[in-house]
Amino acid sequence: MRIDELSADEFMSAMASLGEAIEGLAKSDLAETFKDDVKAFRSGDRSNVEGWAVDMLAKYIPALLKGNVGDLYAVLAACDGQTVEEYKACFTPKKLMADVAALKAALGDGGALKELTAPFFG
């Protein structure tokens, strides 16, 4: 995963791809569970919205693996600066598992992706 190494054009393309993947998730079965998380967030302390948003993405990665693999490919490809087709062309199970682990780490406390995306949510 090399999102922090992307050129300006690659980064903007990655953000657009991530937005499309998030839209796909919003239309999935995960949306109902996510809505419950949003309700809980709204009724509690909202001082760390960027942390909450990134935590939600990390929380739902396992569900993506189970039922929304197309959206997961879109997220992983975007974070690697590739199209889904390019990502699939270099696919190996080991790469997928490494990329998912790297994505979870990048979204965690002090993670590069969390730091990069925080301004979008703040």
Side-chain angles (χ1 to χ4, degrees), residues 33-99:
T33 304
F34 183 70
K35 285 179 189 176
D36 293 340
D37 285 329
V38 170
K39 287 178 189 174
F41 173 74
R42 287 183 177 163
S43 67
D45 177 16
R46 296 194 277 178
S47 63
N48 187 16
V49 67
E50 65 275 1
W52 174 84
V54 173
D55 290 346
M56 286 299 96
L57 186 54
K59 175 181 176 180
Y60 287 99
I61 288 174
L64 287 170
L65 285 169
K66 291 180 183 174
N68 300 80
V69 74
D71 293 320
L72 180 60
Y73 276 132
V75 168
L76 294 174
C79 289
D80 220 22
Q82 298 177 313
T83 66
V84 171
E85 293 76 21
E86 290 168 334
Y87 188 85
K88 286 181 175 181
C90 64
F91 173 86
T92 66
K94 185 176 180 178
K95 177 176 173 31
L96 176 67
M97 292 299 108
D99 287 349

